[in-house]
Amino acid sequence: MNVNGKPFRSIWLDRDGWSVAIIDQTRLPHEFLTRRLETPDDAAEAIRTMRVRGAPLIGATAAYGIALAMRQRGDDQALAEACRTLAATRPTAVNLNWALSLMREALAPIAPAQRMEAAYRLAADICDGDVATNRSIGEHGLGLIGELWDRRPDGVDVLHILTHCNAGWLATVDWGTALAPVFLAHDAGIPVHVWVDETRPRNQGAALTAWELSSHGVPHDVIVDNAGGHLMQTGRVQLCITGTDRTARNGDVCNKIGTYLKALAAHDNGVPFYVALPGPTIDWDMQDGIAGIPIEERDPAEVIEVQGQLGEGRTGTVRITPPGVTARNFAFDVTPARLVTGLITERGICPASEAGLLSLYPERAGD
Ligand code: MRU
């Protein structure tokens, strides 16, 4: 997508041909800064501290982390160590394990001297594949938005879409998952407006989704996380679309904390609730999302403190609680499949169920 008229992906190979460039998302929306990753530890740090975040981008960064490791040393021990370090960065997004398994399985049978070249090639393929996949999710989602627009009730002259967290191009290599249909609908001339949940505590909605939508000219308003129920109850949301960090085989959807409450409100008010995801976000080994998906618990400081712009262009952190207060910071929750109207994938839209998923990915039936 474009930043000030220049096309960007969220991760790319630097001009030097070996280091990896990322957009430092911890600095947005106040500063647009890129950063070079030179070692697997740099890649792990970028994922852990959320300079890069969002399930597909975490996977892509891990893949390049392996390439950087293979540039240092291509032996089995280096491969195993890099996989271990990168796998330990964040627990919830299954794209991380997916990318690491893909890299390990492709590189292990190759002679150590040839692993570096193969690793860079595979990491680039993962990135290009992600872009194509998300574009396809966008097209299927555009069909859905077009249908809702054609069937709109009298008096609705803008289609209001609510989203949670950031599942736009910054969360992927390009296009995004939940926001890809929104960008395409806007480009196709369908009048869409997005309600952007701020997404406490890290404010991915207020900081990143609002920045992406502004850059693309899509009308939107940031709302506090608790406003969605009220807006749905008063007929001001026609569609919810979110992303997901891991979707279980039974269609349970894990996403940023607060997604479940939006799905409950949508269910209570008859608002369609869709989740957009690429194939690598499906955990085929996870039979029951609520029982099994590991929920990341992050530093309580993220709840106690808020980061923002202080004035005169300076950014800073302020405490919002009494001194000494304790907090807990659960980063994700699981929305049961029964609350999800449908899953928008690169292969089409299906019910949130094992049968629904297998109708699009029949090759996983025997797994
Ligand atoms: O903690 P984050 O910012 O990595 O969480 C990201 C999300 O929850 C996204 O909605 C999810 O990864 C889908 S991204 C296409």
Side-chain angles (χ1 to χ4, degrees), residues 50 53-56 90 165-166 171 177 204 244-245 255-256 332:
M50 296 176 65
R53 27 70 50 203
R90 295 192 71 189
C165 195
N166 171 260
T177 55
Q204 289 94 329
T244 165
D245 293 82
N255 192 49
K256 181 54 54 194
F332 297 95

Side-chain angles (χ1 to χ4, degrees), residues 62-71 73-76 78-80 82-83 99-123:
Y64 267 121
I66 297 295
L68 292 169
M70 294 300 92
R71 182 174 180 272
R73 260 178 44 215
D75 56 85
D76 288 353
L79 180 57
C83 285
L100 290 174
S101 301
L102 209 72
M103 297 296 285
R104 194 174 33 232
E105 281 160 26
L107 298 178
I110 299 180
Q114 281 148 26
R115 284 181 181 164
M116 178 183 89
E117 201 188 321
Y120 273 101
R121 208 171 37 241
L122 194 51

Side-chain angles (χ1 to χ4, degrees), residues 180-197:
V182 174
F183 292 131
L184 290 182
H186 173 78
D187 293 350
I190 300 174
V192 287
H193 164 268
V194 183
W195 295 115
V196 179
D197 284 352

